[in-house]
Amino acid sequence: MINNFPSESKPWWNRPLFGGVSFIERILGVLNPQQVPELALSLHDTELEELERIVPTLRMLDNEQYSAEFLLFMSIKHKIDNNLDDYKGLQTFIKIFIFASKNIHHFRTINRIELDFQGKTQVDLYNLIEEQLNTNSDPILFKQLVTIEIEKLCKIIHNEPTKKALLSYQSALNAIEEDPIGLSLLLLFKKYHISDYTIFNTINIILKQLKKQDLSNLKALVLMVKVNYEELDKLGQLIGIPHTETQFITYAKIIQYIALLSRYENNIYRFQQLIENVNKWHKHYLTILEIRHEYPSHKYRVSPKFIENIPGESIYFKYQDYIRITESL
């Protein structure tokens, strides 16, 4: 029978000292070190050189602005972009909220002109646009048809204020046509006869109030949503946000992300560059660790480079919880 005694029952000279290596193993290694294969030595040094080339870029891209709140934002962004976890299903709603808040003036221009200019030719144009919104799923064709129609009207209308209004109308339509969400929203506004755009104001007012606030506290954002719920829910019902027990949290997450995006949008690209370079660094890092593990200094005659600190480790450990290292990297 073989007994598996704990290490404490072994003599002191046969117990692990550091990293599971006993005193006697270290003595034997020092007295009779093995030679590291030349290929492994060469690969280790080559990989270390590659790391050293990447590290200056990492240091340049590392930034004090990458606060805990910014890293939270990047984590949320990753979940939204990939439809993950507790942010699953929010991507479309967030896009609509963002588009709505940024394009409020264009929708107001369209609505104001349709109310103020009610000549027969203008009303015919508005009806054509609504018909196209209902039947035409091709935004490029929609734009072509509307442009042709407005150009025809401008040729036969000699009243300058009306002509100027039509051109402003066309400009506003062109702006919201840049994203398919714009035409979908316009159709919904027409379908449900919505001309009160305070829902847009509410979003912008909340964002302004949050400009200097801590955005990591979701509970505080839920309270703000409850205060403004009536107006937020108008847009929510319009775009199909379901009524559930967690609806306040849903709105809070949408507002949280939009506010964080507004605060940190300019930092995203630089941080993505940092991630890309850390991922490059990580591939070489894994190879070095594997070689050092395979040929430890207590058993092998290693070069001084084998026991050097690996450059860039501090930056990697700083961001490792926020950097997605995939098997393909």
Side-chain angles (χ1 to χ4, degrees), residues 171-196:
S171 178
L173 277 173
N174 287 343
I176 66 170
E177 285 167 354
E178 290 181 6
D179 192 309
I181 289 172
L183 293 180
S184 298
L185 271 177
L186 183 60
L187 174 60
L188 286 172
F189 292 147
K190 287 181 173 293
K191 183 178 179 180
Y192 294 103
H193 306 289
I194 292 174
S195 57
D196 179 7

Side-chain angles (χ1 to χ4, degrees), residues 2-16 22:
I2 298 173
N3 292 319
N4 294 318
F5 293 105
S7 61
E8 286 77 5
S9 65
K10 296 179 181 179
W12 67 267
W13 42 264
N14 203 24
R15 294 178 196 167
S22 70

Side-chain angles (χ1 to χ4, degrees), residues 136-147 177 183:
N136 190 347
S137 59
D138 184 345
I140 296 175
L141 181 58
F142 175 88
K143 183 175 182 177
Q144 289 174 344
L145 290 171
V146 171
T147 299
E177 285 167 354
L183 293 180

Side-chain angles (χ1 to χ4, degrees), residues 221-222 225-226 229 244-253:
L221 292 171
V222 168
V225 165
K226 288 180 177 179
Y229 177 73
T244 65
E245 293 179 359
T246 59
Q247 191 176 23
F248 290 130
I249 296 176
T250 297
Y251 284 116
K253 286 176 179 176

Side-chain angles (χ1 to χ4, degrees), residues 9 17 80 138 151 177 205-206 230 285:
S9 65
L17 295 177
I80 289 170
D138 184 345
E151 286 176 352
E177 285 167 354
I205 289 169
I206 292 174
E230 187 176 340
Y285 178 65

Side-chain angles (χ1 to χ4, degrees), residues 259-276:
L260 285 168
L261 180 65
S262 175
R263 183 173 293 178
Y264 294 115
E265 190 169 16
N266 292 335
N267 294 344
I268 293 174
Y269 177 75
R270 184 184 177 95
F271 188 74
Q272 288 173 336
Q273 292 296 108
L274 173 62
I275 290 175
E276 183 179 321

Side-chain angles (χ1 to χ4, degrees), residues 72-90:
L72 170 67
F73 164 62
M74 293 304 297
S75 175
I76 293 172
K77 185 178 187 303
H78 173 74
K79 291 178 182 179
I80 289 170
D81 291 346
N82 294 280
N83 203 29
L84 299 173
D85 304 334
D86 49 339
Y87 287 83
K88 189 174 184 178
L90 295 187

Side-chain angles (χ1 to χ4, degrees), residues 286-300:
L286 289 178
T287 303
I288 291 170
L289 290 184
E290 187 176 350
I291 294 170
R292 290 186 178 187
H293 178 75
E294 187 71 23
Y295 304 103
S297 60
H298 68 275
K299 286 185 179 180
Y300 289 85

